Amino acid sequence: MKKLLLSTTIAAASLFSSFSYAADYNIDKEGTHAFINFKIQHLGYSWLTGRFNDFDGKFSYDQTQAADSKINVVIQTASIDSNHAQRDKHLRSKEFLNVKQYPTATFTSSQYQANDDNSGTLTGEFTLHGVTKTISFPVEKIGEGSDPWGGHRAGFSGTTKLKLADYGIDYNLGPASTHVELELHIEGVRQ
Amino acid sequence: MLKNNKHSYGWISIGIHWLMAIAIIYMFGLGLYMVELTYYDAWYRGSLDLHKSLGMVLLALLLFRRIWQALNTTPNALTAAKWQQVSATIMHHGLYMIMLFLMVSGYLISTADGRAIIVFDLIHIPALPWSINHQEDIAGDIHALLAWLLISMVVLHAFAAIKHHFIDKDRSLVRMLKVDTSH
């Protein structure tokens, strides 16, 4: 009886302790509730948008311990899709992403600074075209809760702006097109 | 004389040979040149449109040429040497085959996402109803490889013609330049 009580206590303690750490989420790649979009100006006259179709990642998040939040995303650069095969071929070539030499772009967070319950600033290492830089950008929590199929989900959005030349991509697209905006919309399923 | 006979090529065979020869050599140069053009070059888009249009015209010419050959007599070989006849046949069929694959691979780049090829703003050549993943990249690599292969074969073919003319002193080159009506 004493032994059972002890093991129950340990089990309860471990159960409790697991709640005290941030929960781990996998990006919902299978159901495609995650998007990495980009946009860049065309000649300064309009916006061209596109996305990366293939990426994956994990994040840790707990509302009560937001500062412990972490995220890691790996993008397959060859999956770039601007709805025009010949442009995508050009974007994958050595003149832009050089996907044969740099097949992935990665982001690994190092710090999360919460502003309030639903927003903050994420800092981390972003690697693109073989160049790694520390970037910070605002993120927003869109929502969190149980889904209709027995799981628990949380979703975030973040936007950042990159100067292509900083990453060694220096093809001349004109003065209005030196920067690209990246939008990350992710939904994770708690593990 | 438009049609071939046992001794001479006709004007249609001669004309289509040289038309395609000039167009293919031009297309090779155009292809190498256009991929080096940058976004702010005035001919960045036009060069590609021209390349695609000429490519589709060449494909039509190639098909017409093969049909014309099938309906026509082939002039007799000028050399008695069996190995020369065999190697000439292999080279000619190789040229036709590589030309076909080259043109088809170009078509597959441009139509990879279902877009049509617009030939000189006149004719829309639709895409196939299916495509493979990264078709534009795969077809692009094949297209570049075949272009170099074809131009190498063209050079070999031209050297063979020059050799026949100046060393063997036979009529191989001359009969591809003019019709012989003496027979």
Side-chain angles (χ1 to χ4, degrees), chain A residues 42 78 84-85 90 92 171 174, chain B residues 39-40 44 113 134 136-137:
Chain A
H42 182 230
H84 189 333
H90 195 190
R92 287 185 206 111
Y171 190 94
Chain B
Y39 209 59
Y40 275 76
Y44 178 82
D113 55 11
H134 288 279
E136 61 276 20
D137 299 313

Side-chain angles (χ1 to χ4, degrees), chain B residues 41-137:
Chain B
D41 286 305
W43 210 34
Y44 178 82
R45 293 161 63 94
S47 59
L48 188 60
D49 289 340
L50 178 63
H51 192 86
K52 291 196 275 190
S53 298
L54 279 177
M56 289 300 101
V57 171
L58 275 168
L59 182 57
L61 278 174
L62 179 63
L63 296 177
F64 172 77
R65 185 177 182 179
R66 296 297 284 152
I67 292 166
W68 183 251
Q69 283 173 349
L71 298 174
N72 249 267
T73 317
T74 304
N76 293 329
L78 290 171
T79 171
K82 194 77 193 163
W83 74 269
Q84 285 193 2
Q85 291 181 18
V86 171
S87 50
T89 306
I90 290 171
M91 178 55 111
H92 295 154
H93 282 93
L95 282 165
Y96 295 135
M97 212 166 65
I98 300 304
M99 276 188 246
L100 179 68
F101 290 161
L102 180 60
M103 292 161 195
V104 168
S105 65
Y107 165 85
L108 291 175
I109 303 171
S110 300
T111 58
D113 55 11
R115 279 180 173 74
I117 291 180
I118 304 161
V119 180
F120 293 116
D121 282 332
L122 285 172
I123 304 161
H124 286 239
I125 299 179
L128 295 173
W130 42 262
S131 64
I132 59 166
N133 205 15
H134 288 279
Q135 178 169 306
E136 61 276 20
D137 299 313

Side-chain angles (χ1 to χ4, degrees), chain A residues 102-167:
Chain A
Y102 308 112
T104 59
T106 57
F107 178 76
T108 306
S109 72
S110 53
Q111 195 190 350
Y112 178 73
Q113 210 162 14
N115 296 340
D116 54 48
D117 277 356
N118 290 321
S119 71
T121 301
L122 192 63
T123 302
E125 307 269 281
F126 183 58
T127 303
L128 174 69
H129 198 245
V131 178
T132 302
K133 288 201 165 294
T134 303
I135 59 169
S136 285
F137 58 95
V139 293
E140 183 191 358
K141 180 170 149 189
I142 307 301
E144 179 185 4
S146 53
D147 65 30
W149 318 287
H152 183 96
R153 290 167 186 256
F156 299 84
S157 283
T159 303
T160 187
K161 192 174 180 178
L162 308 170
K163 187 180 179 187
L164 288 170
D166 286 349
Y167 294 86

Side-chain angles (χ1 to χ4, degrees), chain A residues 42-58:
Chain A
H42 182 230
L43 304 171
Y45 305 149
S46 69
W47 285 107
L48 181 152
T49 74
R51 65 189 190 197
F52 290 93
N53 288 330
D54 188 7
F55 57 91
D56 209 350
K58 294 173 188 302

Side-chain angles (χ1 to χ4, degrees), chain A residues 65-108:
Chain A
Q65 284 173 308
D68 290 343
S69 299
K70 284 186 178 62
I71 181 163
N72 179 48
V73 178
V74 179
I75 303 168
Q76 303 300 321
T77 51
S79 72
I80 193 165
D81 181 358
S82 69
N83 196 22
H84 189 333
Q86 281 172 80
R87 177 166 54 218
D88 296 341
K89 177 174 179 287
H90 195 190
L91 293 174
R92 287 185 206 111
S93 75
K94 282 182 182 164
E95 290 185 323
F96 291 94
L97 294 172
N98 196 359
V99 303
K100 279 191 184 143
Q101 199 171 342
Y102 308 112
T104 59
T106 57
F107 178 76
T108 306

